[in-house]
Amino acid sequence: MTVKGAALEAAAHGRFDELPIHNPSIECASRERIEAIQLARLIDQVEWAYDRVAWYRERMDAAGVSPSDIKTLADIRKLPFTDKQALRETFPYGMFAVPLDEVVELHASSGTTGKPIVVGYDKGDMDLWADCIMRLVQMAGVVPSDRVQMAFGYGMFTGGFGLHYGLQRLGCMMIPAGSGNTERQIQMIQDYGSTVLVSTPSYALHVCEVGEKMGIDWAKSTLRVGLFGGEPCTPALKAEIERRMHIVCTDNYGLTEVMGPGVSGECLAERDMQHIAEDHFVWEVVDPETGEPVAEGEMGELVLTPLGKHAIPVLRYRTHDLTRVVTERCACGRTTARMQKVRSRSDDMLIIRGTNVFPSQVEDVLSGIDGVTPHYRIVVDNETGLDRMTVHVELKPEAFSDSFEQMDAFRRAIEEKLKGVLLVSSKVKLVEPGGIERSTGKTKHVQDLRKM
Ligand code: DLL
């Protein structure tokens, strides 16, 4: 793989001290200092929410807790959780803590059912957001001279505008391509000499494939960084994109309800973890069933409390994202806590004939099989009365054979491998290259057609 640019070159040789750190007084602070900042801001945030949002005042009064009860970080557990439902119930402005004329931007997340979730930002929130983005993009090797092609949509989704403002503030030249129209995206990379592509990882793979078909030699392209987020990215998918596009890819995490992108980002030193902007978020990891904290470093559900956000002061938001968090200093020099990349959510678990199946398990099995592409789809139905899971697996051209026996044996071998891990049988359907629909944004891997 060709590494392009001084920052990536330094990282590739382990010279992390040559990479810029946006705000070292925070990102490299001692744990005591980080926690002191968190506590001071948490106390203010709880007061802000209690004083200005009826929903919190009612819940806290009912739980017998008042803002003055927050004296340590651990006291956060006295507060009620917030979930998606709360934001739906109060649609559109019920959770807002500032008058609407102070709100300068709205975003929303549609979800699959029900009302959208609407979030607002005042001027201070926008500054805070841009600060979080400037940190994470520099962790990923982006520099002010970069030309950044934004392939996230510029709509209500937080991905497009959220990353745009921070990247622009850093000094990057923004190329607001928006999502979709893949051949045009590739043309723009060539015409404008884009050096960074911002998208979901699955869309970046699609750009890669279409470019290859168009005869692009990615090694010679100006593109050098892939800035991904919005959906899980397996190590195998990342490695494949890096190899084929000759770019270095990192992955950043966030969610609409607490800000959008900007919660955490991957640095170039340790590639499976993401640094949390801890002065802007208190993190907790809880048992998804009981809501009780798990031991530090253990897997559980991430709960986030944004700090200093004034338009919507969400407290203890249940993300449903499964991860673990560690606080040791990272090889990149940062001391902020790191969360393991999110691979699954507590609410994406499928129950197939009584057995729990996570789509990420299917993905892990497939990524270990030669001849299959990273594109797959899981279809579940119960037409026959019993749950039936079919995994559509897209083949690479070289895995195709004219021999029916050979193809059938390959199919059965995949079924066996899946059964070994999932402990429940599934059917595998082999699909020709390009046969699984590509998405320009987040890829939906599961189609659950079961009728109750
Ligand atoms: O996806 C915010 C975002 C946009 C983050 C662009 C990064 C880049 P939502 O649409 O509200 O917000 O979806 C949030 O997407 O709870 C996770 O389940 C998932 N998710 C987001 N980023 C990642 C990631 C944006 N890097 C939901 N890895 C979250 C894994 C992610 N899952």
Side-chain angles (χ1 to χ4, degrees):
M1 189 181 104
T2 334
V3 171
K4 302 165 193 163
L8 301 186
E9 187 83 31
H13 292 95
R15 300 192 313 269
F16 301 112
D17 52 342
E18 290 178 23
L19 298 172
I21 294 183
H22 181 65
N23 188 346
S25 73
I26 297 290
E27 293 177 83
C28 305
S30 66
R31 190 111 300 271
E32 292 71 38
R33 180 166 144 72
I34 291 173
E35 290 184 358
I37 294 171
Q38 285 184 317
L39 178 60
R41 293 187 179 170
L42 178 66
I43 290 170
D44 287 349
Q45 194 73 13
V46 173
E47 221 169 67
W48 185 267
Y50 185 86
D51 289 347
R52 295 173 170 242
V53 183
W55 194 92
Y56 280 114
R57 203 163 40 251
E58 285 159 17
R59 300 299 178 293
M60 284 171 63
D61 286 347
V65 54
S66 84
S68 60
D69 292 323
I70 306 299
K71 296 194 172 68
T72 67
L73 277 181
D75 288 335
I76 198 171
R77 291 183 213 138
K78 297 178 178 164
L79 300 169
F81 287 119
T82 309
D83 59 14
K84 230 182 229 324
Q85 193 49 33
L87 287 146
R88 289 219 165 99
E89 275 167 20
T90 53
F91 174 87
Y93 298 134
M95 284 289 203
F96 280 43
V98 297
L100 286 182
D101 56 10
E102 287 177 24
V103 173
V104 294
E105 188 147 324
L106 275 194
H107 281 283
S109 131
S110 52
T112 41
T113 50
K115 288 206 171 110
I117 279 159
V118 176
V119 291
Y121 307 75
D122 70 6
K123 278 195 180 140
D125 297 340
M126 294 304 287
D127 280 341
L128 195 152
W129 198 4
D131 182 62
C132 290
I133 300 299
M134 283 193 280
R135 287 185 203 181
L136 73 85
V137 299
Q138 289 179 90
M139 273 178 221
V142 174
V143 291
S145 57
D146 270 310
R147 302 174 193 176
V148 182
Q149 187 158 324
M150 175 62 69
F152 277 134
Y154 279 94
M156 298 305 279
F157 177 53
T158 53
F161 280 110
L163 284 151
H164 181 111
Y165 296 131
L167 283 155
Q168 190 169 58
R169 193 176 287 189
L170 182 64
C172 298
M173 179 173 105
M174 294 308 295
I175 306 170
S179 71
N181 206 340
T182 308
E183 293 194 358
R184 189 171 139 264
Q185 296 273 2
I186 293 163
Q187 193 59 49
M188 288 170 84
I189 295 173
Q190 289 175 291
D191 291 346
Y192 304 135
S194 311
T195 56
V196 177
L197 177 69
V198 186
S199 70
T200 55
S202 54
Y203 185 60
L205 179 64
H206 184 47
V207 171
C208 171
E209 291 169 339
V210 173
E212 284 167 353
K213 280 198 197 116
M214 288 164 68
I216 303 286
D217 179 354
W218 287 115
K220 296 204 180 107
S221 150
T222 48
L223 213 57
R224 52 181 217 95
V225 169
L227 210 54
F228 300 153
E231 67 179 10
C233 179
T234 62
L237 177 59
K238 184 166 79 167
E240 174 143 2
I241 300 172
E242 291 192 326
R243 183 179 56 76
R244 284 166 68 177
M245 289 186 99
H246 297 265
I247 59 178
V248 171
C249 305
T250 60
D251 181 23
N252 62 83
Y253 165 88
L255 58 156
T256 312
E257 296 83 341
V258 300
M259 170 177 279
V263 173
S264 66
E266 173 186 339
C267 68
L268 293 171
E270 211 206 299
R271 310 295 305 277
D272 193 37
M273 307 292 277
Q274 294 161 326
H275 288 275
I276 302 177
E278 274 191 290
D279 53 328
H280 295 313
F281 297 92
V282 176
W283 55 268
E284 297 169 77
V285 183
V286 303
D287 180 321
E289 301 282 322
T290 63
E292 289 301 315
V294 300
E296 187 172 324
E298 296 287 311
M299 285 297 285
E301 177 184 342
L302 184 67
V303 174
L304 290 170
T305 303
L307 303 174
K309 251 180 106 251
H310 281 163
I312 293 203
V314 172
L315 304 177
R316 301 193 84 201
Y317 188 74
R318 302 275 307 239
T319 66
H320 289 290
D321 291 318
L322 301 176
T323 185
R324 59 188 197 93
V325 178
V326 297
T327 54
E328 298 99 51
R329 182 176 185 276
C330 176
C332 74
R334 290 178 181 82
T335 49
T336 39
R338 285 165 293 150
M339 55 183 269
Q340 189 158 15
K341 291 197 182 173
V342 171
R343 291 291 314 282
S344 40
R345 295 174 51 85
S346 57
D347 54 5
D348 69 7
M349 187 180 77
L350 296 162
I351 302 180
I352 309 290
R353 300 192 294 278
T355 304
N356 300 346
V357 172
F358 280 101
S360 57
Q361 293 176 294
V362 173
E363 194 163 279
D364 286 341
V365 171
L366 298 180
S367 72
I369 300 175
D370 279 343
V372 309
T373 71
H375 305 286
Y376 69 94
R377 171 152 303 157
I378 300 169
V379 181
V380 189
D381 68 50
N382 56 2
E383 257 173 46
T384 55
L386 268 184
D387 294 338
R388 185 170 59 172
M389 178 163 93
T390 310
V391 184
H392 297 238
V393 178
E394 186 181 295
L395 295 183
K396 289 184 176 163
E398 60 269 25
F400 255 99
S401 142
D402 288 341
S403 151
F404 175 79
E405 284 75 24
Q406 223 172 321
M407 293 309 293
D408 201 47
F410 188 40
R411 188 184 59 73
R412 277 186 280 116
I414 302 176
E415 283 178 353
E416 280 302 305
K417 285 200 169 147
L418 284 169
K419 180 150 189 215
V421 171
L422 308 180
L423 308 176
V424 63
S425 50
S426 58
K427 285 256 163 263
V428 163
K429 191 165 175 243
L430 300 180
V431 179
E432 75 282 2
I436 295 210
E437 200 192 330
R438 309 295 195 251
S439 159
T440 59
K442 301 187 188 219
T443 296
K444 204 166 169 281
H445 291 292
V446 179
Q447 216 179 349
D448 195 338
L449 306 171
R450 281 178 289 191
K451 294 187 185 78
M452 287 303 137

